[in-house]
Amino acid sequence: MAHLDGCHCGGEGRQNSILYSILKNDGQSVQRAPGTPRLAVSTQACACGSKRKVSLRSPHTTCKAASAVLVKTLKFVKNVPCFRELPVHEQHVLVRSGWAPLLVLGMAQDRVDFETCEAPEPSMLQRILTGGHGRQDGQQGQSHAGHVALSDVQGMKMFLSKCWVLDISTKEYAYLKGAVLFNPDVEGLQCQRYIQGLQSEAHQALNEYVKMIHRGDTTRFAKLFIALSMLRSINANVVASLFFKPVIGAVNMEELLLQMFYGR
């Protein structure tokens, strides 16, 4: 793998890099299955959604589908030339911060839907017998059980529904992935200006593509941008708890991602 020794904040020599690299990977994207039903989801979250807990109705089936999307997502990222040219530290930061929204975006592209059911609350006797271990680390307890807040699931469902209503094309998904991947607002970046330039190129390329393909729809780019903004509320801990922890247990997702990404 090629790495650059220094930072690219100067922004030199990256003309059309994101446009070329993302389009190059466009052919590797998986087309969505025809005839996949669309899910109508209310845009108004339940008032008690932050308290009610839910879990996957079919965890093994859904986790398998989510894992397949994650593998394809990481493969997409690895095949973006301007990403491979970043220093290793920058790659790690971007992968750790972007894997969850990229996964949900990939699920939208592959039309991966999922159903949840209300998670039963532990009885008073269970709480006494377990000694309240779940209270020691709320996130660990939640991730072990695979239970997440209904409001978090509603947010993901609304995003999926928005994408399916827009009927986003393969190339549009590729540009959206580029915009999500190159996030300059992530803490710990050393090449923030360069990353910001790559994200701007992704936005510009998406805008130009939409104008060329959807000439009669002057609002499509804004709608795509709104859908993209919905990914900001996606919590990586929730995604890991819902789609992976019910099957693989309390594994360190960051270590798993790096192993999958670099084959360690």
Side-chain angles (χ1 to χ4, degrees), residues 12-58:
E12 297 294 336
R14 56 175 172 80
Q15 184 176 4
N16 295 328
S17 59
I18 190 70
L19 176 63
Y20 170 80
S21 58
I22 290 182
L23 279 178
K24 181 179 179 181
N25 288 281
D26 176 52
Q28 300 177 359
S29 300
V30 178
Q31 297 288 345
R32 62 177 179 272
T36 306
R38 294 179 179 176
L39 176 66
V41 181
S42 172
T43 56
Q44 183 174 359
C46 176
C48 59
S50 60
K51 297 181 180 180
R52 294 174 57 189
K53 301 295 182 179
V54 296
S55 59
L56 291 174
R57 187 177 297 276
S58 303

Side-chain angles (χ1 to χ4, degrees), residues 4-5 13 22 62 119 123 139 151 156 175 179 204 214 241 264:
L4 296 188
D5 295 330
I22 290 182
T62 305
S123 65
Q139 290 183 348
S151 58
M156 282 187 276
Y175 292 130
Q204 181 180 356
H214 302 275
S241 299
R264 295 177 180 175

